[in-house]
Amino acid sequence: MTAMIEATELVKSYGDAPAVGPLDLTVTHGQRVVLVGHNGSGKTTLLRMAAGLLEPTEGSIVVAGQEVASVSARAATSFLADQPVFYDDLSVWEHLEFIARLHDAPDWEPRAAELLDALGLDGRGDDLPTTFSRGLRQKAAIALAFCRPFELLLVDEPFVGLDLAGREALLALLDQAHADGATLLVATHELTTVTASERVVALRDGVVVHDGPSGETDVADLVTR
Amino acid sequence: MSSIVHELRRTRRERRLGQLEWFDVAYRAYLVALVGGGVVVWLAGLVRDVEVSPALLQDVVGRGPSVLGLAAAIAMALGLRSGSDGGPVALEVADVRHLLAAPIARREIMVLPVIQRLRSVAFAGAVIGGIAGLLAADRLPGSKAAWIASGAGAGACTGLLFVAVAVLVHTLRVPRAVATIVAVVVLGTQTAAAADWLPAGPGDTIGSLALWGFRQHLVDLAGVAVVLGAVIAAAVLAGRLRTEPLVRRADLVSQLRFAATMQDLRTVVLLRRQLRGEHARATPWVRIGRRRGAAAPAVWQRGLRGLARYPASRLVRMAGLGLAAGAAAVFVLRGTTPAIVAVGVALHLLGLDALEPLSQEIDHPDHTDATPRARGWLLVRHLAAPGLAIVPFALLGAAMVTAVEPGQAAAAFGLAVPVALAGAAGAVVSVVRDAPDPIAAPTSTAVPPEFAGFTTTMRLLWPIALSTLGALPILAMREWPSAGAAVRTVVGAALLIGVITWWVRRRDEWRRKVQAFLAEGRAARVR
């Protein structure tokens, strides 16, 4: 199996304060991996480095066989961040159009409509997402992450603010993406999502303290220890 | 693919223009033109009061390029620092999240923001240079139009130099330490040239360009060519701007703009420090030991502990402000009266930097309210440590005056500390006035819309005017150079400091009394 994410001797520090690493991690094509750990364990930093938003202090990270943040890597990676960000002056539908066209998404319109419907945002397409509640903003961000083609989906705390229907819709979208062959790396405190994944990676103080199949892992023990 | 980005930007621009309240825009333009024009005319009137002598004209021609070149050297140094800190471009947060994540060549995304930054800074430089040219035309030979054009040209080049150097340093990933060393060398060389210790400095051609209103040297165009070369290189390398600083700056700059819109000076200062990555030192320069005793020494000790953690960059900036105040004082002493405003502004900024312990208290009102002391009691004691901290920088300014005007040494060192403290008094007003007000009545901020613009402008300018008032002893020493006058001006500065200190101590009490009085009046009317 080829590697979708390959981190080698990866280190990120802010001045003297270490955030991640040294860390070695390989995620192969099509894997569904859950990243767990305490607050400040380095989950978000790792995801942001994989998304090309943070530069490693030392070591390297390769995504889809390409240098991270290169044009090919960006084409392959969709990042659903913990804080949704939107343009102040574009509606949900205009955001979807813009993102889909930037990523050369074929037939984006039916896909976008389907996503809005699945997330309970049908009828809200012409509204400005900046006027939404936290939960609705998260749903709009999920639609943006899924409306474009990707091989790797990086997800950071996706369930924050979501209602029950939203959580179920997101889990279904993650299942579908995985079934379509995408690689998923999901950072979460939501332990119920772990059962759907095939591998659990636990971080503590920026280093991997556990890496194994989800069925054999007592995740609650990992994050409370 | 770039057509999609262009289309998005066009759509958003059209939408923004469509949402503009044109009457409001026209009213603001009218206010800016009225106030700005009035200030320029006033300054021009002040400059005319002292005619330039032939000897001074000779001095301007000889040393002008190096002295004016200091502005270009400062721009270069700031560009070096800004670039190594991840500047000078800031994208919108949504652009960072969506555009930078898209499979589009970075250059297509970044070239426009770089050009916009070049354009806006060059325009600001041209306006400042043009105004300086207008003021120069009143004292120096040459037509007004020629002076304005040459000043604007030199100002625009200086602005372009700042942005281009910053972009190049950023894209070439010049380490911060190296950038700082180069900046110090550039500034040192130019300062040495301005003091006649070296034949020329790196900013001389741009400085000389500013004198084209009086005489033209074709060799100055070499400086312009270098600046344009740097601008082209910056535009070509725009795609190599690093993502991480863009991510960090995007969020901070959006907050900064909001704070600036709200005239929240303190937040602007804090965010600018974050942009520069300026944090308190983990290890203090000097450890202030534990002491037992009364509450007042505890506040002084807290202030000293805060000052002991000032980062080196802030201390260097404060030294620069002390020197700048000294340099502006020299201009005042030589007859350029409006430079007194520059002294006031430099001392105001020095005060804002020195008042960090007080500002921290203001930033944490819950702590203040939780202490068994009146707010004024606590705040006034927070003035002691910053007052002490200003002293070395004031003496640095005096040293600057002495280096250029050795005959003024006694006055400079005698007046430096009281003038610096009186100048910092404006910063005290700015910091304390912006504090959350626990006793404000809900209706006290309701200002009729007709007066909102005026009130806002006054709110911004009043503390700076106070700082300038504190610098007036310099002007007095120019007009009446005697020991008696010096003593009288020191007494005046001390009075200003005393009044501001008293205001900090009693402000809440006075306001409470005024509000009680107004409430009684309202109650009497109802009866």
Side-chain angles (χ1 to χ4, degrees):
Chain A
M1 291 287 267
T2 53
M4 178 55 84
I5 299 176
E6 193 161 18
T8 313
E9 292 292 313
L10 191 67
V11 174
K12 180 67 188 177
S13 50
Y14 297 96
D16 295 335
V20 162
L23 179 149
D24 290 294
L25 181 71
T26 303
V27 178
T28 55
H29 264 288
Q31 265 195 333
R32 184 168 180 169
V33 182
V34 166
L35 204 54
V36 294
H38 296 284
N39 292 335
S41 59
K43 303 187 296 292
T44 298
T45 304
L46 176 60
L47 286 180
R48 291 173 79 84
M49 280 196 281
L53 295 174
L54 287 179
E55 295 164 5
T57 310
E58 287 171 36
S60 67
I61 183 160
V62 173
V63 169
Q66 306 289 329
E67 188 189 339
V68 75
S70 64
V71 171
S72 312
R74 278 183 269 150
T77 310
S78 181
F79 178 41
L80 175 55
D82 53 345
Q83 291 288 337
V85 173
F86 304 99
Y87 292 101
D88 293 345
D89 51 359
L90 293 186
S91 68
V92 174
W93 189 258
E94 285 166 335
H95 272 91
L96 287 164
E97 177 186 355
F98 178 54
I99 302 296
R101 287 177 60 197
L102 278 178
H103 289 267
D104 269 339
D107 299 329
W108 66 269
E109 286 180 83
R111 172 69 176 152
E114 191 184 303
L115 282 167
L116 292 185
D117 185 43
L119 290 159
L121 287 175
D122 45 333
R124 306 299 300 265
D126 291 331
D127 294 343
L128 296 174
T130 44
T131 62
F132 284 178
S133 68
R134 176 68 176 89
L136 285 180
R137 285 163 64 89
Q138 183 66 8
K139 287 180 178 179
I142 292 167
L144 293 187
F146 281 90
C147 76
R148 41 154 297 192
F150 56 84
E151 293 172 56
L152 169 66
L153 180 63
L154 304 169
V155 190
D156 192 4
E157 295 296 349
F159 300 101
V160 176
L162 287 184
D163 55 19
L164 191 60
R167 295 158 70 91
E168 282 174 3
L170 174 59
L171 284 171
L173 286 168
L174 290 172
D175 289 343
Q176 185 59 51
H178 186 225
D180 291 344
T183 308
L184 309 184
L185 180 57
V186 183
T188 184
H189 291 290
E190 194 72 34
L191 303 185
T192 51
T193 61
V194 173
T195 48
S197 63
E198 58 210 56
R199 181 178 164 196
V200 177
V201 175
L203 295 181
R204 185 179 301 143
D205 299 330
V207 294
V208 176
V209 291
H210 173 86
D211 186 351
S214 64
E216 299 169 7
T217 310
D218 184 352
V219 181
D221 183 46
L222 282 175
V223 294
T224 51
R225 242 191 324 206
Chain B
M1 196 65 78
S2 63
S3 63
I4 301 167
V5 179
H6 289 309
E7 196 181 309
L8 169 86
R9 285 176 171 158
R10 195 178 54 244
T11 308
R12 298 186 68 211
R13 192 170 51 241
E14 285 168 4
R15 203 165 283 179
R16 273 198 301 272
L17 287 173
Q19 286 170 350
L20 273 184
E21 293 287 345
W22 288 104
F23 181 78
D24 188 42
V25 172
Y27 179 64
R28 284 179 189 205
Y30 161 76
L31 271 186
V32 168
L34 192 73
V35 175
V39 168
V40 171
V41 168
W42 175 68
L43 288 178
L46 284 178
V47 170
R48 208 173 283 127
D49 60 0
V50 180
E51 292 295 326
V52 68
S53 64
L56 189 55
L57 181 62
Q58 192 63 32
D59 198 32
V60 168
V61 172
R63 292 174 60 191
S66 298
V67 173
L68 295 172
L70 272 172
I74 291 169
M76 228 184 295
L78 290 176
L80 280 156
R81 287 284 299 180
S82 167
S84 65
D85 285 343
V89 177
L91 293 179
E92 204 177 328
V93 183
D95 269 349
V96 168
R97 187 66 64 80
H98 302 304
L99 269 186
L100 293 186
I104 305 173
R106 283 278 156 84
R107 195 174 171 278
E108 288 182 26
I109 300 167
M110 294 311 305
V111 78
L112 184 67
V114 167
I115 289 172
Q116 282 173 338
R117 189 88 171 107
L118 283 162
R119 209 167 50 196
S120 59
V121 177
F123 177 74
V127 169
I128 294 167
I131 292 171
L134 173 70
L135 299 179
D138 281 336
R139 295 190 63 190
L140 295 166
S143 78
K144 259 196 176 124
W147 274 111
I148 291 171
S150 60
C157 279
T158 305
L160 289 174
L161 190 63
F162 161 68
V163 180
V165 167
V167 172
L168 291 176
V169 167
H170 183 159
T171 55
L172 298 174
R173 299 181 178 227
V174 177
R176 200 176 183 193
V178 175
T180 305
I181 291 168
V182 177
V184 168
V185 169
V186 166
L187 276 177
T189 317
Q190 191 63 44
T191 307
D196 257 354
W197 298 331
L198 283 178
D204 273 22
T205 50
I206 304 295
S208 182
L209 189 70
L211 298 176
W212 273 40
F214 172 60
R215 55 106 187 99
Q216 298 80 38
H217 288 166
L218 281 179
V219 71
D220 300 341
L221 295 178
V224 179
V226 169
V227 171
L228 291 180
V231 166
I232 291 166
V236 169
L237 292 175
R240 292 176 61 178
L241 286 167
R242 294 159 53 207
T243 309
E244 185 171 334
L246 290 171
V247 172
R248 182 171 57 89
R249 288 173 65 83
D251 196 31
L252 287 172
V253 169
S254 69
Q255 292 178 48
L256 192 64
R257 285 185 181 139
F258 181 71
T261 312
M262 303 299 288
Q263 283 108 37
D264 185 351
L265 186 61
R266 172 65 181 159
T267 309
V268 169
V269 168
L270 285 176
L271 290 168
R272 284 204 65 81
R273 282 181 193 161
Q274 281 186 45
L275 265 179
R276 284 193 295 264
E278 190 181 298
H279 303 293
R281 287 172 61 84
T283 315
W285 296 104
V286 183
R287 234 170 243 292
I288 313 287
R290 283 186 195 171
R291 284 196 181 81
R292 289 178 185 171
V299 181
W300 301 334
Q301 190 181 35
R302 180 259 171 272
L304 291 173
R305 281 185 171 153
L307 293 171
R309 288 185 188 273
Y310 269 26
S313 55
R314 195 178 307 163
L315 295 175
V316 169
R317 186 171 62 244
M318 290 170 76
L321 287 166
L323 290 171
V330 171
F331 280 101
V332 175
L333 293 170
R334 287 185 172 185
T336 308
T337 309
I340 196 75
V341 179
V343 180
V345 170
L347 293 178
H348 188 83
L349 296 175
L350 178 62
L352 285 179
D353 265 335
L355 285 168
E356 186 59 22
L358 173 71
S359 301
Q360 285 290 334
E361 193 65 54
I362 300 281
D363 287 348
H364 301 94
D366 292 350
H367 291 189
T368 316
D369 294 345
T371 56
R373 303 276 171 181
R375 208 164 67 119
W377 184 95
L378 198 62
L379 296 186
V380 88
R381 275 154 187 82
H382 270 299
L383 298 177
L388 195 66
I390 283 175
V391 173
F393 303 105
L395 296 178
L396 211 55
M400 171 63 129
V401 174
T402 307
V404 186
E405 296 280 350
Q408 301 279 0
F413 280 99
L415 289 178
V417 174
V419 165
L421 292 176
V428 173
V429 171
S430 177
V431 169
V432 174
R433 187 199 54 187
D434 288 343
D437 193 344
I439 58 165
T443 53
S444 64
T445 53
V447 176
E450 295 80 9
F451 297 104
F454 178 75
T455 312
T456 304
T457 311
M458 286 307 294
R459 195 176 157 74
L460 199 69
L461 293 182
W462 170 234
I464 296 174
L466 262 182
S467 292
T468 308
L469 192 68
L472 283 182
I474 301 167
L475 205 58
M477 284 311 294
R478 184 187 81 188
E479 297 300 322
W480 305 286
S482 68
V487 171
R488 280 195 293 277
T489 56
V490 168
V491 170
L495 267 176
L496 179 66
I497 296 164
V499 168
I500 299 298
T501 309
W502 192 245
W503 172 77
V504 173
R505 177 69 183 88
R506 299 285 173 208
R507 180 174 175 251
D508 287 350
E509 230 169 272
W510 293 341
R511 298 194 63 189
R512 207 171 278 123
K513 280 180 183 166
V514 169
Q515 280 175 15
F517 177 72
L518 291 175
E520 273 177 28
R522 275 194 296 272
R525 261 209 313 273
V526 170
R527 279 200 296 271

